[in-house]
Amino acid sequence: MERARRGEVTSAMERVAARENRDPEFVREAVAEGRAVIPNNHAHDALDPMVIGRAFATKVNANIGNSETTSGREEELEKLHAAVHYGADTVMDLSTGDELDATREANVAHSPVPVGTVPIYEAVKRAESAEAITRELLLDVIEKQARQGVDYMTVHAGILMEHLPLTDGRKTGIVSRGGSILAQWMEENGSQNPLYANFEAICEIFAEHDVTVSLGDGLRPGCVADASDEAQFAELDTLGDLTRTAWDHGVQVMVEGPGHVPMDDIAENVERQQAVCDGAPFYVLGPLVTDVAPGYDHITSAIGATEAARAGAAMLCYVTPKEHLGLPEPEDVRDGLAAYRIAAHAADVANDLPGARDWDDALSEARYEFDWRRQFDLALDPERARSYHDQTLPGDNYKEARFCSMCGAEFCSMRIDQDARDADGEMASIAGSEGTDLDASPAASVNLPPVGAHDTSRVPERIEVEGVTFTPETTDDD
């Protein structure tokens, strides 16, 4: 941010401009003004820089991380690989179990996308109870994670003592893990939120390592009944003040948003954040538009995510089918990312981002031409599309067929339409029309196939963490 303010176009800005099909000066201005962030820790050598901001393509974050009951380093690297492969623009390591340092170091070393963390989790693990956390411990954890290469950190500095009584009438109270830990700390110690009290010291650490601060929403609603209440908006006002404080220290800022919001409240929530936080990028969890679908919350939240991105949210934090139920596994990561890549792309098309619809047009042309192989190649998830088609029509001859198993040859509408046009002599003009040239599209890379097209050239082939050797795609011990 400081270099952008001085008028310098950095190599990261140039890379972002290429990925977004924008002028580097446009990127520099957005970063300098705080309307966009490029999470890019100096120590994250494997990173392929990306940008988060309302003027750019909508991005998607995937949460990974172990828990006290499930998963270890090997499983987390499998989830990281799945997240990157299926198109995550960033990942957050939300580990709360064992081997926190080793898991984090392995993730940073292997990730071509920015890695985020929530340092309060490690702080409470090291202190062994929320109330035992000290200022010195908090700053030590934050500085250590910054040295390890974490690109952005969620800091729940906006939840204050005076906000806690505002949650008393809620159906689900405080549902943020970080928010609940800090609320307990304040109640036990009778003091103000230590992240708020020491926010300037935290900003100094972030400025030194170029860590982006993600201002956490510790009082986000945990059900639609609690959405847009006094507690949520009181914290948002504090986040606006903290945004300006971070900018004063040259620290990039994004602001986290609500988790459960009825459909008709979403746009107003986004617009309010943009006004209160002076246009800082909005990063939303979901939001979920209904509470009745455990096991399908990747769908209930993708509906809200589409509306949020259409209204101006810059990044969407995915939700998997396991939300509220259990720790996601790689296949859950895949399903969650598919839902959210759809939401992000749909919003970019609705917002008329340059070239965003070209991908849709190219796939539609392949579909009408019964070019099954090209349909698969252009699909958001080519493996899934090919698998579903081949379950009923697996032979190579069916890759040339003018029908699928849903309608069959006799009732295929496109085949009927083509035959009718052929009979009337209309097909020549359609066949002669030029198709969509995706190579010439002005779309950002995330709005072009394939997903997960990150530059992985700086990801090491092997790393060793605490005596265990890992590779990016496999996690066997040496």
Side-chain angles (χ1 to χ4, degrees), residues 332-356:
D332 303 309
V333 171
R334 177 183 188 175
D335 289 343
L337 276 168
Y340 271 70
R341 285 256 61 100
I342 293 166
H345 181 72
D348 287 347
V349 172
N351 287 334
D352 201 24
L353 261 67

Side-chain angles (χ1 to χ4, degrees), residues 53-176:
R54 182 172 186 167
F56 302 96
T58 306
K59 303 307 189 298
V60 175
N61 171 69
N63 287 339
I64 59 175
N66 65 24
S67 73
E68 292 188 356
T69 60
T70 310
S71 183
R73 283 179 289 183
E74 294 84 355
E75 293 86 354
E76 290 312 308
L77 280 176
E78 290 176 11
K79 284 191 275 186
L80 170 65
H81 178 67
V84 172
H85 179 72
Y86 291 111
D89 299 295
T90 76
V91 295
M92 288 203 77
D93 178 2
L94 304 185
S95 295
T96 58
D98 296 327
E99 301 181 317
L100 295 182
D101 280 331
T103 299
R104 187 182 311 115
E105 289 175 7
N107 282 336
V108 170
H110 283 149
S111 179
V113 303
V115 174
T117 59
V118 186
I120 193 71
Y121 298 167
E122 181 177 354
V124 76
K125 286 280 291 185
R126 284 174 54 176
E128 298 185 348
S129 66
E131 62 271 18
I133 294 172
T134 64
R135 173 188 187 276
E136 291 72 25
L137 175 60
L138 275 175
L139 296 181
D140 180 64
V141 168
I142 289 169
E143 185 166 16
K144 181 192 68 175
Q145 293 191 8
R147 289 196 310 268
Q148 289 175 319
V150 171
D151 301 287
Y152 67 99
M153 296 188 203
T154 293
V155 177
H156 298 87
I159 175 173
L160 305 182
M161 290 184 69
E162 53 266 38
H163 298 159
L164 301 185
L166 302 177
T167 67
D168 288 346
R170 284 182 160 188
K171 286 187 180 296
T172 54
I174 299 175
V175 299
S176 160

Side-chain angles (χ1 to χ4, degrees), residues 332-462:
D332 303 309
V333 171
R334 177 183 188 175
D335 289 343
L337 276 168
Y340 271 70
R341 285 256 61 100
I342 293 166
H345 181 72
D348 287 347
V349 172
N351 287 334
D352 201 24
L353 261 67
R357 209 193 69 190
D358 290 346
W359 186 1
D360 302 75
D361 291 347
L363 196 145
S364 296
E365 292 157 7
R367 180 173 288 149
Y368 189 74
E369 294 166 2
F370 294 103
D371 188 341
W372 292 103
R373 292 182 178 86
R374 181 157 173 77
Q375 282 188 62
F376 302 151
D377 290 342
L378 290 175
L380 184 83
D381 186 338
E383 296 96 337
R384 178 70 56 85
R386 185 178 293 106
S387 172
Y388 281 0
H389 174 270
D390 290 356
Q391 284 176 11
T392 49
L393 298 173
D396 282 347
N397 57 309
Y398 290 114
K399 304 299 187 296
E400 314 296 333
R402 297 171 67 203
F403 62 89
C404 71
S405 63
M406 181 174 181
C407 297
E410 184 177 357
F411 286 97
C412 177
S413 57
M414 289 189 181
R415 194 272 307 160
I416 295 169
D417 180 68
Q418 287 183 11
D419 289 348
R421 290 177 186 277
D422 250 346
D424 293 338
E426 295 180 16
M427 284 301 294
S429 61
I430 293 177
S433 63
E434 294 186 5
T436 302
D437 182 1
L438 292 182
D439 291 335
S441 173
S445 61
V446 298
N447 280 320
L448 293 170
V451 301
H454 311 288
D455 179 2
T456 60
S457 61
R458 290 182 296 278
V459 176
E461 292 184 5
R462 303 163 67 84

Side-chain angles (χ1 to χ4, degrees), residues 140-318:
D140 180 64
V141 168
I142 289 169
E143 185 166 16
K144 181 192 68 175
Q145 293 191 8
R147 289 196 310 268
Q148 289 175 319
V150 171
D151 301 287
Y152 67 99
M153 296 188 203
T154 293
V155 177
H156 298 87
I159 175 173
L160 305 182
M161 290 184 69
E162 53 266 38
H163 298 159
L164 301 185
L166 302 177
T167 67
D168 288 346
R170 284 182 160 188
K171 286 187 180 296
T172 54
I174 299 175
V175 299
S176 160
R177 290 197 297 199
S180 64
I181 290 167
L182 288 160
Q184 182 181 357
W185 188 96
M186 288 185 277
E187 290 171 349
E188 294 287 341
N189 289 278
S191 298
Q192 189 56 277
N193 180 349
L195 292 174
Y196 177 82
N198 296 284
F199 189 69
E200 294 203 51
I202 293 168
C203 285
E204 291 175 5
I205 297 171
F206 287 171
E208 178 183 354
H209 297 274
D210 206 356
V211 175
T212 298
V213 60
S214 186
L215 292 172
D217 51 341
L219 295 179
R220 67 174 178 265
C223 62
V224 293
D226 293 341
S228 305
D229 68 355
E230 191 176 359
Q232 177 191 334
F233 288 148
E235 181 185 34
L236 177 60
D237 290 340
T238 305
L239 298 183
D241 294 336
L242 294 173
T243 295
R244 290 177 280 275
T245 298
W247 284 344
D248 288 343
H249 286 77
V251 174
Q252 299 184 105
V253 180
M254 55 185 173
V255 179
E256 298 184 16
H260 294 243
V261 182
M263 189 79 160
D264 55 322
D265 278 1
I266 292 173
E268 180 183 349
N269 268 260
V270 176
E271 291 161 4
R272 184 165 185 154
Q273 180 276 340
Q274 291 286 274
V276 170
C277 300
D278 295 341
F282 202 20
Y283 164 31
V284 296
L285 173 64
L288 286 75
V289 296
T290 180
D291 302 325
V292 302
Y296 299 93
D297 278 336
H298 60 311
I299 298 174
T300 62
S301 62
I303 294 169
T306 308
E307 179 68 5
R310 192 189 65 81
M315 186 160 77
L316 311 172
C317 184
Y318 88 159

